[in-house]
Amino acid sequence: MQCEMVPKTLEVYRKTVELNPENVEARYQLALGYHQARRVKEAIAEMQLAIILDPKRLDAHFQLSLWYYRRCMFHAAIEAAKKVLALDPTNPWAHYRMARSYFHLGKLDYAIQSFVKVLDADPTHIIVHYHLGILYERKRMWHDAIREFSRVVSENPEDASSHFHLGLAYKRLGIRDLAIGEFMAALNLDSEDNASLEQLHTLQG
């Protein structure tokens, strides 16, 4: 039934826009309809027109950022997220979208800055602590990585991936016993974790 409603809804909003091209709400809803119909290019074009008519339309900028990100248009996603933040400076999801986009672009310092701003708004956002741990690991900032992954396992002790990455960080710092403990914890949670098994063989061999 929902699939049948999409063309009808699109037609209604198309006619509304034809009669009143400056109807921002109709253009916004038409963009959402196009996206629901998987006509993403048309959705983006229509949302851009809605923004031209109303540059302060926060939800339009937010939708564009999300759509750009999903199409791996990371530079465009960042620019759209910046426009969200110009209207709502503490919007955590805009900072999150920027952080993920910067990560994919290899701009790790910018990604870290954006993730930290997410945590300023919501320190309990566990997935952000995990992403920060990965970023610090990539930058070989082992103490910072340990802090973030430890925060994750304190909230979710069954997160095998965080135990594994904790093991790597402790290993890099030469703290053998703690590294072994974390790799064993990862294996206890996931018996098929070959990466942890290999690390244990290295440390115990």
Side-chain angles (χ1 to χ4, degrees):
M1 176 65 92
Q2 187 175 11
C3 292
E4 294 176 4
M5 290 298 295
V6 170
K8 294 179 181 178
T9 303
L10 282 174
E11 187 60 27
V12 168
Y13 285 118
R14 266 199 299 262
K15 288 182 178 179
T16 303
V17 168
E18 286 177 6
L19 291 171
N20 182 6
E22 296 186 2
N23 187 323
V24 178
E25 183 61 26
R27 288 196 178 278
Y28 178 82
Q29 294 298 332
L30 181 56
L32 294 180
Y34 278 137
H35 193 268
Q36 189 176 356
R38 298 183 180 180
R39 296 163 62 176
V40 180
K41 289 183 179 180
E42 291 167 284
I44 289 174
E46 200 61 49
M47 196 63 80
Q48 289 171 334
L49 289 172
I51 287 171
I52 289 172
L53 292 169
D54 184 2
K56 293 185 178 181
R57 176 103 190 204
L58 182 66
D59 51 358
H61 289 296
F62 189 86
Q63 287 294 338
L64 265 186
S65 178
L66 177 60
W67 295 347
Y68 286 143
Y69 179 83
R70 288 178 175 172
R71 290 176 66 84
C72 298
M73 300 167 64
F74 300 122
H75 290 289
I78 289 167
E79 290 307 311
K82 285 180 178 179
K83 291 175 181 177
V84 173
L85 292 170
L87 299 168
D88 180 9
T90 61
N91 188 299
W93 289 107
H95 285 300
Y96 183 84
R97 193 77 56 220
M98 287 179 68
R100 295 293 294 158
S101 297
Y102 281 130
F103 175 81
H104 287 297
L105 292 171
K107 297 183 177 182
L108 303 188
D109 288 331
Y110 286 119
I112 288 171
Q113 291 172 16
S114 293
F115 277 135
V116 168
K117 288 178 181 177
V118 177
L119 293 177
D120 287 341
D122 181 9
T124 65
H125 206 314
I126 296 303
I127 190 63
V128 174
H129 287 288
Y130 179 84
H131 287 314
L132 272 174
I134 295 296
L135 285 165
Y136 289 134
E137 181 182 280
R138 295 239 180 140
K139 290 177 66 64
R140 299 179 179 273
M141 298 167 66
W142 306 115
H143 291 287
D144 293 300
I146 288 168
R147 182 188 67 239
E148 299 303 329
F149 290 125
S150 295
R151 180 65 183 269
V152 177
V153 298
S154 70
E155 295 291 330
N156 182 13
E158 296 185 356
D159 189 320
S161 179
S162 291
H163 283 293
F164 171 76
H165 288 290
L166 273 171
L168 287 180
Y170 284 130
K171 180 184 176 183
R172 292 294 186 181
L173 290 175
I175 309 175
R176 180 176 176 275
D177 290 345
L178 290 180
I180 289 173
E182 293 299 336
F183 290 132
M184 290 182 67
L187 268 175
N188 287 335
L189 292 165
D190 180 4
S191 60
E192 297 181 358
D193 183 357
N194 291 327
S196 290
L197 187 59
E198 289 176 9
Q199 291 293 336
L200 277 174
H201 285 162
T202 299
L203 290 167
Q204 295 178 323

